[in-house]
Amino acid sequence: MIYEEHNRPGEAILPMAQDAALPFYGDVGLTDDPEDAGRFQAVFKAAILGSNFGHPQAAWETIQGLAPQMLSRDRSMVLLKWIHDAYTYHPANPNMYWASILLRYANAPGGWPDVGQTIEEQRQFDEFAAFFLREWDRDGFNARLEAEQSKPPTDWDRQVHMRYGLVPLDDDGKDSLPFLYRIYQGAALRRAIRDFNFPARPGFPHAKMRAAAQLAADEAWMPPGVPLGRITDVV
């Protein structure tokens, strides 16, 4: 479930509108089709221009009117749904916190907390965590992102950087594509859940893995009274 009061779909538009982001459209779960990618990017750019290089919320409001005009009904629906679901900050989509939990427990010296899981159940926890981390490939994605950002910007990207005060590879919070990493993280989690094929694993210990994950989720801010769902509840 996505909590609309915390969702910020417009945050995805600015990074995706940049030419440097085009090679990553498949990675973030939008499209692997070059023609669709070109059409979608044209809509992203039109939304930035239509909002007069304004606030992300203004870009989101603008793109909701532009997409049906610039794309077929089917492609427009695909794009708008993707934008809506792409904001993976966990208060908006609490179950997206699974990505941080899996990373934490996979790298913690003590591993997962004890919630009564058997050795075999723990093996299955670890198997999925490792599967997700391979799909996520943080270091590989970051290296590709940095290589793309190190290239001379196009005229469009230079204009975006200037209007929004962005600096590629900046370490002080003004990097031009920081949110692309967060979108990729969410897309990698969704891919891992799909490709791990949980329906073919009816004995997977979902309840115990969720119980262990909830211990970590309790340390993070969540919408009041919202527990972490099972991994298969990720939107």
Side-chain angles (χ1 to χ4, degrees):
M1 180 176 182
I2 291 179
Y3 287 77
E4 297 300 338
E5 64 267 35
H6 302 297
N7 201 23
R8 303 290 184 269
E11 298 285 350
I13 296 173
L14 176 59
M16 295 296 286
Q18 295 176 52
D19 291 328
L22 194 57
F24 302 99
Y25 274 32
D27 297 273
V28 298
L30 179 53
T31 182
D32 289 312
D33 184 300
E35 292 187 3
D36 269 351
R39 295 187 189 101
F40 290 157
Q41 191 189 37
V43 181
F44 285 129
K45 290 183 176 182
I48 297 296
L49 291 170
S51 66
N52 193 27
F53 293 89
H55 189 275
Q57 180 61 24
W60 170 236
E61 292 169 0
T62 301
I63 210 168
Q64 290 178 81
L66 284 174
Q69 299 174 26
M70 297 178 66
L71 301 169
S72 68
R73 183 174 181 275
D74 173 65
R75 294 295 88 190
S76 173
M77 292 175 63
V78 166
L79 179 62
L80 292 177
K81 183 179 188 315
W82 181 88
I83 296 170
H84 177 269
D85 294 350
Y87 189 73
T88 56
Y89 180 49
H90 67 264
N93 186 348
N95 291 328
M96 275 296 168
Y97 198 56
W98 270 106
S100 297
I101 291 168
L102 292 166
L103 176 65
R104 169 180 171 172
Y105 287 155
N107 291 296
W112 293 71
D114 184 0
V115 291
Q117 68 267 36
T118 66
I119 292 175
E120 171 57 21
E121 288 170 337
Q122 182 61 59
R123 184 196 65 77
Q124 293 181 77
F125 293 3
D126 293 334
E127 183 182 12
F128 177 71
F131 187 88
F132 164 61
L133 293 178
R134 286 194 299 272
E135 186 65 41
W136 186 6
D137 185 21
R138 289 193 310 165
D139 293 340
F141 182 79
N142 282 339
R144 289 175 52 211
L145 199 60
E146 290 182 7
E148 195 65 34
Q149 287 187 280
S150 67
K151 298 177 182 177
T154 63
D155 290 343
W156 164 257
D157 282 3
R158 188 177 291 108
Q159 183 180 13
V160 168
H161 299 166
M162 179 183 68
R163 295 294 294 266
Y164 285 99
L166 303 175
V167 181
L169 302 176
D170 179 75
D171 291 329
D172 297 321
K174 295 182 179 180
D175 196 352
S176 58
L177 293 178
F179 198 69
L180 196 64
Y181 173 81
R182 299 196 67 125
I183 299 172
Y184 172 68
Q185 178 189 40
L189 181 59
R190 293 180 177 113
R191 283 196 304 271
I193 293 168
R194 179 197 67 204
D195 295 344
F196 196 70
N197 194 10
F198 283 109
R201 303 166 186 262
F204 191 90
H206 284 289
K208 287 185 179 177
M209 191 169 81
R210 194 215 68 82
Q214 185 65 49
L215 297 176
D218 288 342
E219 299 174 9
W221 188 89
M222 292 284 190
V226 177
L228 188 71
R230 294 187 179 195
I231 191 70
T232 49
D233 293 333
V234 168
V235 176

